[in-house]
Amino acid sequence: MVSEESWSIGELARRAGVSVKTVRYYSERGLLPEAGRSSGGHRRYGAGALDRLLLIRSLRGLDLPLPEVERVLARDEALEEVVARRLRELGSQLAALRWREASLRLLRDGPPGERAERLRLIGAVSVPPDTAALARFWRRILPVRLPARVVSSVVDAVVPGIPAEPCPGQVLDFARLHALVSDPRVHLPGARPAPPLPAGEYRPAVLYEGLAEAYALASTELAAGRALREGTALDCFVGAYAHARGTVDSPGFRRGLLPLLARSEGPVITRYWKLATGLFAPGEPVLGALHHHLSVALRAQVEAGAR
């Protein structure tokens, strides 16, 4: 028996603000409960069907695929889980759109003679981009005896994130950085940076943990407008190298450290930091810059003591 509160398919469609075709499609998929059938065998729908149809329309209006809507309706998956997943997907799509927009502006506004090269560079980067190649680069060049936890800490600190709102210049810097770390010639033994300490016994974990502390101190001192030449950060910086070698900090050790620091950076690492610096968030410590500041401060201190 059909309830007096039931509606025909056309009446339901009008109440929900959708087409009859849409109602029929959802009915055939079993998403709308029927209140019964008319004497002529036509479907009749009640308030439950209207509530369900309005819910489906809302979820579809948020661009949720119908299979996910069906899982929500069947309570196979919570609405919160579906929404969270959809937000992640949209975030990735928006990141890709922003990257493409900045890439197009880079090509549009760049010198005509550089467009082909720029197009080649950005074409080699996935959209949205990721930093996996950068992480692999550092994992290759870090000492093999470095504990995994230290490696992860170093990689997290030296690999910049992808800017949420990239400008054309950042797209170009990242594309060039990606090309640098992906170049097979960079990974040849002769192209790698020199070890951070001379050949022989030294404790890499002690060195890198000590450097992390020195960089944190240097960042604080520079933010406060203090010079590094006589600061705690410089002593910590030199001490990291001395402790890793099992020796003590001294004027002689500091003099001998200068050429070692110059060799350890090398053209590839220098190029890396030149390109990567602008990709870090404002206010985020850039280890390459901090290392350079500390090296310059040490040279100035040693040269002043030699006069």
Side-chain angles (χ1 to χ4, degrees), residues 224-245:
R226 295 195 293 270
L228 297 179
R229 188 182 300 184
E230 302 296 339
T232 305
L234 183 57
D235 292 339
C236 185
F237 179 67
V238 176
Y241 286 94
H243 295 159
R245 284 288 284 182

Side-chain angles (χ1 to χ4, degrees), residues 4 15 42 83 88 157 180 207 210 275 303:
E4 292 181 358
R15 287 174 178 268
H42 299 294
V83 169
R88 290 193 297 270
L180 174 70
L207 174 61
L275 294 170
E303 290 177 350

Side-chain angles (χ1 to χ4, degrees), residues 89-105 127-129 164-166 171:
E89 293 170 355
L90 285 175
S92 180
Q93 293 169 12
L94 288 171
L97 287 173
R98 294 186 188 108
W99 191 266
R100 288 192 177 102
E101 179 189 22
S103 298
L104 289 169
R105 289 167 53 201
V127 179
E165 299 280 353
V171 168

Side-chain angles (χ1 to χ4, degrees), residues 65-148:
L66 189 56
E68 294 196 357
V69 172
E70 290 177 322
R71 287 196 291 272
V72 171
L73 297 177
R75 298 189 178 180
D76 292 336
E77 192 169 11
L79 176 61
E80 291 81 1
E81 296 173 0
V82 172
V83 169
R85 182 169 59 250
R86 188 60 182 153
L87 282 171
R88 290 193 297 270
E89 293 170 355
L90 285 175
S92 180
Q93 293 169 12
L94 288 171
L97 287 173
R98 294 186 188 108
W99 191 266
R100 288 192 177 102
E101 179 189 22
S103 298
L104 289 169
R105 289 167 53 201
L106 174 67
L107 295 174
R108 181 195 65 188
D109 301 335
E114 296 182 14
R115 283 176 184 160
E117 175 64 11
R118 292 184 176 189
L119 184 59
R120 183 190 66 79
L121 286 169
I122 62 178
V125 177
S126 62
V127 179
D130 63 60
T131 57
L134 278 63
R136 287 194 298 269
F137 167 76
W138 282 101
R139 290 181 184 278
R140 286 192 196 100
I141 67 175
L142 288 171
V144 294
R145 291 178 292 163
L146 207 57

